[in-house]
Amino acid sequence: MDFRRAWLGALAPLAMLACKSDAASTPPPPDAVTFPAGFLFGTATAGFQIEKADTHTDWADWVALSPSRIKNGDTPDDGGPDALAHVDDDIALMTQMGQNAYRFSIEWGRIFPTQASFDSNTPDAAALAAYDSEIQKLQNAHITPLVTLFHWALPNWLSDVSHPNDPQGWERPETSADFTTFCSRMAQHFGGEVDWWVTLNEPLVYVTTGYIQGGSPPGVVLDATRAFDVARALARAHASCFDAIHQADTVDADGDGKAAWVSVAKHQRTFHPEDPTDQDDIDATKHVHYLWNQWFLNATIRGDWDDDIDGNYTGPNDKQGDPTLKGRMDYIGVNYYSDTLISAHRGVVIPVVNAAVIQDHLPTDRPKTDVAWDIYPEGLRSMLEEDVAPYSLPVVITENGIADRADVNRARFLAEHLYQLGWAMKDGLDVRGYFHWSLMDNFEWQNGFCPKFGFASVDPATGARTLRASGSEYEKIISSKVVKRADIDAMPAFVTTDFCP
Ligand code: BG6
């Protein structure tokens, strides 16, 4: 996303010291890590990014309204993977790699294209049939589906991109109520086949791109008040959706004793002060770290509601142990990509947060991806230990991946991250699965098609998929369930190639 780039601004490179959060207090690196039988090895995708004609969504309107907002004027309809027409091809790719799980989204605006269809509970029959058939085919291939119910595209009858100054989407009270109904209906319809659910993808990234950076619907810039209103609405919407799914999905499809596993896909990062000797930068880093990695989880796991988002529970609307929020995660879905630099003084300082957030072109000597994010596998384990393990819940890595159009870094990236994950598991973390972003190259939101995250490339003319060499590394790891340190060390070193223009 561009916001990862936008806040770099005029920040000058300064040497960074490892902060406390990265100093994992664990025994020496293991020689090898292993994954248990039944561990979910998958890939992740999202409807708007891989389907064509997801027309009744705010994202479709957004792309149409102003193509210049998207790099190269790309649209998912022109050169995208057209996944609903290539289900067999995609399942063949998963099977080739030995995957036993797949995360994808069911698109609200495709199932209910109009307000009238939603109000009368008349789902689009073709849309339901398409997802039914996909799930059936996944089951036939012994691939466990993990379904996301909101991956950033809202039905356009709830979000009008031509009026960004009016309350849109999750700012409208009916959106959360309707989402709960949608969750209930989807759990009822698909619950016989689906046990693993993600209610919301990356709620705080959604808020940041839509209301701070302005590169996603509704396209509002630097409005922290509206951003926090939406963040609060999303936390509560998750809790209601959680309840609705549990009420409606009572079928234990995979026989593990639990009919529904419900979480969000929570984007978690590591954070460092831009100047580790500057107290303001250190304080800002602590605050952003709390806001980003802990606020949402504290609310929905412990019921600790920090309404004014100031880091304590003394505000007039704050509450601890709130029964309407507490215990609303069956597992913690974690999306992990990279590291972050925080400055209190320079760059675009976000109001209320009082910090600039820098996510790419970091002045470190770490190798970079094609979108200039640091390759930082150690951060996965340190973040899990510091910000996920304390909640004592099972964990699923719902996304982790790399923009690497030359496919020179992906195999090592995968092995290094799985090694760090396996290490965290050796230390006691209960991790149930890992989903790599992504199965195939897709429409990377405002970055269009340049960043290539796929194990498979997609021919823009024919939609034909070709598995890249890194796909065989995944196949090797999945079949052996082992990652050896010595094997990683023998792989080619990471290289920083040209960034996406
Ligand atoms: C995650 C999202 O933030 O990162 C995905 O859940 C997204 O939808 C992925 O595609 C890659 O990031 P980007 O910014 O390049 O689209």
Side-chain angles (χ1 to χ4, degrees), residues 177-250:
D178 288 352
F179 184 62
T180 304
T181 305
F182 176 64
C183 294
S184 171
R185 290 177 186 166
M186 294 305 96
Q188 221 152 29
H189 184 89
F190 296 105
E193 309 290 333
V194 175
D195 281 357
W196 290 89
W197 301 91
V198 158
T199 58
L200 311 169
N201 182 67
E202 300 188 338
L204 300 184
V205 176
Y206 174 78
V207 160
T208 307
T209 55
Y211 294 88
I212 301 293
Q213 183 262 345
S216 304
V220 176
V221 178
L222 284 176
D223 191 332
T225 304
R226 287 177 74 182
F228 284 137
D229 280 349
V230 175
R232 289 186 200 93
L234 287 170
R236 295 200 180 278
H238 162 74
S240 306
C241 179
F242 177 100
D243 291 346
I245 293 173
H246 276 290
Q247 214 164 26
D249 178 3
T250 51

Side-chain angles (χ1 to χ4, degrees), residues 44 48 50 71 79 95 120 141 325 334 336 341 378 419 448 470:
F48 190 79
I50 63 164
K71 292 248 169 79
T95 303
S120 62
L325 289 163
V334 172
Y336 173 78
L341 207 58
E378 302 81 3
Y419 173 79
S470 53

Side-chain angles (χ1 to χ4, degrees), residues 34 45 97 113 122 176 201 216 256 305 317 359 379 408 429-430 476 500:
T34 55
T45 60
M97 288 186 281
T122 314
S176 295
N201 182 67
S216 304
D256 68 353
W305 182 248
N317 298 319
Q359 308 201 1
V408 287
L429 195 69
D430 176 8
K476 205 180 84 194
C500 272

